[in-house]
Amino acid sequence: MTITVKLSHDYPFSPENVWTVATDLGHLKTITHGLLNFRNLPRGQIYKGQHIKVQISLFGKLPYQPYEMTVLTCDPATMSFHSQETGAGVKSWDHALSVIPTKTGSRIEEEITIDAGLATWVFAIWARVLYRRRHAPRLKILEGLANSLPHDRSSEAPETEGEQAHKINGFHAHVYFDNTSMDAAAKLCEQAAQRFGVDLGRMHTRPIGPHPMPSCQLDCTNEQFSALLPWLIGNRGDLSILCHGKSSNHLADHTRNAFWLGEPHSLGLSLFN
Ligand code: ZN
């Protein structure tokens, strides 16, 4: 007997940030705490082919039981993964997750197919509760990421839709790198964060979202960006950097609101259609 549970949650944050949080095992531990406690859970981003053996405890109170997860697919370019889990009375727990860009940010769509024999329906109810309860703590983590920026949008007058589409609320600078330029990129990004107080993302060692190469993101307010840009131009060396404005339109941000320092690359824009 199998039951499939479908869930969808909207987030007012960029697909890149939502994907980063959704695939981070450290965040998984934080957002399920109290409902599901883990032992031996590794750190970092999940990756294709990863096999994880953990101990889990319902509510952190019931006895710990062995549980295994295998990441069958994990593609940062399309921002989707598929994992298979088993243990703790569950024959198979099949989990597919995608992050989809929306007009106001992004959406997580999840599909969980459960086989736990006669107890399948109990686990299906449990899955709904568990994945719904993840939403609020996940929002908190994302707000924490966004709040490291001093910009406060709530105090501004409401705008019409047309104005919103053209309003630039800060910039991203995505520093691209490969194996040979990874150290230079890391150094440049760390210096930029120290000098200008911009928000430093992680080093994505694989393509993510529309970015066809490994990259690291600098997230800036408009004010920070005006100071950062001349410094980036003078200090980027041979690194390619995609600079783009942040409006409510992700496609526009990666086309007409974007420009390159150094060699340009083709972006995966089909993601935004
Ligand atoms: Zn960006």
Side-chain angles (χ1 to χ4, degrees):
M1 181 190 184
T2 64
I3 295 181
T4 298
V5 175
K6 290 183 187 183
L7 296 158
S8 134
H9 286 113
D10 287 298
Y11 296 87
F13 298 101
S14 76
E16 286 116 329
N17 283 359
V18 171
W19 169 253
T20 297
V21 171
T23 52
D24 187 291
L25 290 167
H27 290 150
L28 174 68
K29 198 167 181 169
T30 313
I31 62 183
T32 58
H33 188 76
L35 271 179
L36 195 59
N37 287 15
F38 290 92
R39 270 183 193 158
N40 307 328
L41 189 67
R43 288 171 157 272
Q45 301 288 131
I46 59 167
Y47 55 88
K48 186 183 170 184
Q50 188 176 20
H51 188 68
I52 303 168
K53 284 186 177 181
V54 291
Q55 301 268 320
I56 59 167
S57 159
L58 299 189
F59 310 109
K61 294 197 170 76
L62 297 182
Y64 277 86
Q65 300 181 68
Y67 198 79
E68 296 188 20
M69 306 184 221
T70 305
V71 183
L72 300 175
T73 62
C74 180
D75 184 2
T78 56
M79 294 196 260
S80 56
F81 77 73
H82 181 192
S83 68
Q84 223 155 34
E85 309 174 13
T86 183
V90 176
K91 282 184 204 162
S92 85
W93 183 287
D94 199 281
H95 184 199
L97 179 148
S98 300
V99 180
I100 296 151
T102 62
K103 274 192 171 170
T104 54
S106 51
R107 177 175 303 142
I108 290 184
E109 286 189 351
E110 290 176 286
E111 217 173 282
I112 306 105
T113 300
I114 300 159
D115 181 0
L118 292 174
T120 298
W121 66 274
V122 179
F123 282 98
I125 293 169
W126 162 253
R128 273 195 184 279
V129 173
L130 178 70
Y131 288 101
R132 277 206 189 128
R133 282 274 294 270
R134 282 182 181 182
H135 182 64
R138 194 177 268 152
L139 265 179
K140 235 181 196 172
I141 291 170
L142 286 160
E143 272 158 19
L145 288 178
N147 281 345
S148 49
L149 302 172
H151 191 73
D152 179 10
R153 262 181 243 178
S154 60
S155 59
E156 287 170 11
E159 305 124 305
T160 65
E161 204 178 313
E163 279 172 337
Q164 252 173 10
H166 295 102
K167 178 149 191 180
I168 302 297
N169 291 309
F171 282 84
H172 281 169
H174 296 275
V175 180
Y176 283 30
F177 58 87
D178 57 23
N179 283 341
T180 58
S181 58
M182 184 167 175
D183 289 347
K187 197 172 151 199
L188 185 80
C189 290
E190 276 159 27
Q191 284 182 347
Q194 272 175 11
R195 277 177 178 251
F196 302 99
V198 302
D199 203 31
L200 174 60
R202 69 182 69 217
M203 299 289 285
H204 291 288
T205 54
R206 271 170 274 202
I208 182 165
H211 310 292
M213 281 177 66
S215 63
C216 182
Q217 173 185 288
L218 298 167
D219 194 351
C220 330
T221 62
N222 289 346
E223 294 73 25
Q224 286 170 332
F225 186 68
S226 64
L228 174 69
L229 181 58
W231 184 86
L232 277 183
I233 291 171
N235 292 277
R236 68 171 181 84
D238 291 329
L239 294 165
S240 280
I241 304 175
L242 169 69
C243 300
H244 71 81
K246 288 159 60 184
S247 71
S248 56
N249 183 331
H250 290 295
L251 179 60
D253 289 350
H254 292 83
T255 49
R256 66 187 167 92
N257 297 345
F259 63 91
W260 289 88
L261 305 179
E263 191 196 336
H265 295 267
S266 301
L267 299 176
L269 298 172
S270 56
L271 200 65
F272 303 120
N273 294 328

